[in-house]
């Protein structure tokens, strides 16, 4: 079964709006939660990451919110721009298991001008 | 900057051929991974390696094998390519507390 569940599958946002992508997990052994951004024809690139002892991390327009008790985390993109149009993957890692990463199914974001 | 390089961006192979996908990383990472990416299915782990000559099956290893003779190089082998192995293949490496870093991907078409 999928270890990390991601929603929505696709998202359309107007320029300047807020994009929100959600992920949920069950495995409490996960110790690191990165988000990746992927443009068509490219490999995923690390965007931002958070550890479970922190509830929020912000880098520029990108923020991760983390709710350990609910086993949920989300990516917020503020002031979304057409250049943010890409597929976003959340992930979770079990460091004790060879640094193995488990990925969500991806969200295709389209920011309309 | 971490660099993960995959040998080919695009490959077209015939059914039944033996196919080699090569991946090299320059960060001395212990762990390397091969994923395949298909629409609607996200990234699925095929195999990973945690040290030279050490490998573990991922979630979808059937029809694939791997080789890691040197720390920086991790190869994915399709023993007898089939059309259902047409996909985007992504190599990644990671080490210590850091995130995984991906190569640019190889789009493989099996005809």
């Amino acid at each position: 079964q999928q270890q990390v569940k991601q929603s929505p599958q696709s998202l359309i946002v107007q320029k300047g709006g807020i994009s929100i992508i959600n992920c949920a997990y069950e495995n409490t052994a996960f110790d690191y939660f990165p988000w990746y951004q992927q443009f068509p024809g490219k490999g995923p690139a690390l965007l931002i990451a958070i550890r479970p002892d922190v509830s929020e991390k912000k880098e520029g327009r990108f923020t991760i919110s983390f709710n350990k008790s609910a086993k949920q985390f989300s990516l917020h993109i503020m002031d979304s721009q057409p250049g943010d149009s890409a597929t976003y993957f959340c992930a979770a890692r079990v460091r004790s298991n060879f640094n193995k990463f488990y990925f969500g199914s991806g969200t295709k974001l389209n920011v309309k001008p | 900057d971490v660099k993960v390089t995959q040998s080919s961006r695009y490959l077209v192979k015939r059914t039944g051929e033996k196919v080699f996908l090569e991946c090299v990383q320059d960060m001395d990472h212990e762990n390397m991974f091969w994923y395949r990416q298909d629409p609607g299915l996200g990234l699925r782990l095929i195999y990973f390696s945690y040290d030279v000559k050490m490998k573990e099956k991922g979630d979808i290893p059937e029809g694939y094998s791997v080789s890691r003779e040197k720390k920086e190089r991790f190869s994915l082998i399709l023993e007898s390519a089939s059309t259902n192995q047409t996909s985007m293949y992504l190599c990644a490496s990671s080490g210590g507390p850091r995130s995984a870093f991906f190569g640019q991907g190889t789009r493989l078409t099996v005809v």
Side-chain angles (χ1 to χ4, degrees):
Chain A
Q1 78 278 14
Q2 191 135 33
Q3 297 239 12
V4 181
K5 294 183 180 175
Q6 183 173 345
S7 63
Q9 191 173 356
S10 63
L11 183 60
I12 299 174
V13 172
Q14 290 295 127
K15 180 182 174 182
I18 302 173
S19 304
I20 302 175
I21 304 169
N22 300 299
C23 287
Y25 66 97
E26 287 297 326
N27 188 346
T28 55
F30 289 144
D31 65 350
Y32 188 68
F33 300 86
W35 284 88
Y36 288 84
Q37 180 188 55
Q38 184 181 30
F39 293 106
K42 305 283 186 183
L46 178 65
L47 187 63
I48 186 173
I50 197 168
R51 299 189 188 282
D53 53 347
V54 175
S55 61
E56 185 176 282
K57 184 172 181 182
K58 185 175 181 179
E59 289 183 3
R61 296 185 293 109
F62 300 91
T63 300
I64 301 177
S65 297
F66 189 85
N67 186 331
K68 190 173 181 179
S69 59
K71 299 198 197 94
Q72 294 175 349
F73 58 111
S74 59
L75 176 70
H76 296 234
I77 306 174
M78 313 300 286
D79 187 26
S80 298
Q81 299 297 313
D84 297 331
S85 297
T87 299
Y88 293 81
F89 292 95
C90 62
R93 182 195 71 186
V94 182
R95 187 170 179 189
S96 59
N97 187 15
F98 308 113
N99 263 13
K100 213 170 157 185
F101 286 83
Y102 296 86
F103 287 85
S105 53
T107 296
K108 190 169 185 179
L109 171 65
N110 184 6
V111 181
K112 293 206 173 286
Chain B
D1 268 1
V2 174
K3 198 162 184 184
V4 180
T5 304
Q6 295 181 228
S7 54
S8 305
R9 290 292 305 275
Y10 302 95
L11 275 179
V12 180
K13 296 292 181 181
R14 295 195 180 277
T15 302
E17 273 193 80
K18 191 167 186 176
V19 181
F20 293 86
L21 303 183
E22 307 285 343
C23 176
V24 177
Q25 52 99 358
D26 66 356
M27 281 302 292
D28 202 36
H29 283 166
E30 301 88 5
N31 306 299
M32 295 187 75
F33 309 85
W34 276 105
Y35 293 88
R36 65 177 280 177
Q37 182 177 15
D38 301 288
L41 297 178
L43 279 70
R44 293 181 292 166
L45 182 63
I46 303 171
Y47 266 97
F48 68 99
S49 168
Y50 53 92
D51 203 347
V52 175
K53 297 191 187 294
M54 306 305 286
K55 60 188 179 186
E56 290 284 338
K57 293 179 180 179
D59 300 317
I60 51 165
E62 296 79 19
Y64 304 94
S65 62
V66 290
S67 172
R68 194 165 179 201
E69 296 297 318
K70 294 185 177 181
K71 192 174 186 179
E72 68 270 19
R73 187 179 297 270
F74 191 34
S75 303
L76 179 69
I77 303 155
L78 287 66
E79 297 290 343
S80 176
S82 64
T83 55
N84 63 12
Q85 293 178 309
T86 292
S87 186
M88 169 75 103
Y89 289 87
L90 292 162
C91 174
S93 75
S94 74
R98 302 185 69 190
S99 289
F101 294 88
F102 284 86
Q104 78 277 25
T106 296
R107 184 161 295 282
L108 172 67
T109 302
V110 182
V111 298

